[in-house]
Amino acid sequence: MAKSSEFTSREGIFEEDGVLIVRGIEYIERIASALASRTRLEILRLVREKELDIGEIAERIQQSKANASAQVKRLEDAGLVKTGYRPGQRGVKKICWTNVREIRIILD
């Protein structure tokens, strides 16, 4: 099977058209660790459907805002979700979303 030259020279975590490409042991480990939690998988599914703020995520996963925020941070650090801030009723809200629809792990 021929190797794709697109992936042979790049190592790390990068997104291309909704596909998160992961290559290199440390990067694979980071993604695997982030996906090793049912809670984080549920958050990923929720923000895949639509943008949500931390309060909405906490409510939907039935956990505290602090825990939801910590779980989102793990996903963000792994490159699985993106976050930003928008004005809220009292201050700003942290909004989460993802464009990732597929994760491709390159083992070579």
Side-chain angles (χ1 to χ4, degrees), residues 43-61:
I43 292 169
L44 194 56
R45 184 188 67 78
L46 289 169
V47 299
R48 175 72 183 124
E49 293 171 3
K50 69 177 195 172
E51 291 182 357
L52 296 171
D53 67 47
I54 295 294
E56 292 169 321
I57 292 170
E59 186 177 304
R60 291 184 186 203
I61 64 172

Side-chain angles (χ1 to χ4, degrees), residues 3 5 8 14 17-18 20-21 25 28 33 35 37 40 44 48 67 74 91 93 96 105:
K3 290 183 184 177
S5 61
T8 56
F14 46 96
D17 298 323
L20 193 70
I21 300 165
I25 288 181
I28 293 170
S33 176
L35 294 173
S37 160
R40 288 190 291 274
L44 194 56
R48 175 72 183 124
N67 187 55
R74 290 281 308 269
K93 290 183 176 186
C96 308
I105 295 174

Side-chain angles (χ1 to χ4, degrees), residues 3-107:
K3 290 183 184 177
S4 169
S5 61
E6 176 184 358
F7 304 126
T8 56
S9 63
R10 292 173 67 178
E11 187 169 291
I13 301 171
F14 46 96
E15 184 185 337
E16 293 180 359
D17 298 323
V19 178
L20 193 70
I21 300 165
V22 186
R23 183 169 183 270
I25 288 181
E26 94 178 65
Y27 302 104
I28 293 170
E29 184 177 37
R30 187 180 309 164
I31 290 296
S33 176
L35 294 173
S37 160
R38 184 177 294 268
T39 298
R40 288 190 291 274
L41 288 169
E42 178 65 12
I43 292 169
L44 194 56
R45 184 188 67 78
L46 289 169
V47 299
R48 175 72 183 124
E49 293 171 3
K50 69 177 195 172
E51 291 182 357
L52 296 171
D53 67 47
I54 295 294
E56 292 169 321
I57 292 170
E59 186 177 304
R60 291 184 186 203
I61 64 172
Q62 298 179 339
Q63 295 188 17
S64 70
K65 286 183 184 180
N67 187 55
S69 183
Q71 301 301 324
V72 165
K73 178 74 171 128
R74 290 281 308 269
L75 292 168
E76 185 179 20
D77 289 347
L80 291 163
V81 301
K82 294 181 169 106
T83 62
Y85 294 92
R86 294 213 179 115
Q89 286 182 327
R90 288 175 258 138
V92 294
K93 290 183 176 186
K94 186 173 188 175
I95 306 294
C96 308
W97 70 93
T98 188
N99 295 327
V100 174
R101 58 179 167 67
E102 179 182 330
I103 299 169
R104 193 171 301 165
I105 295 174
I106 311 298
L107 296 174

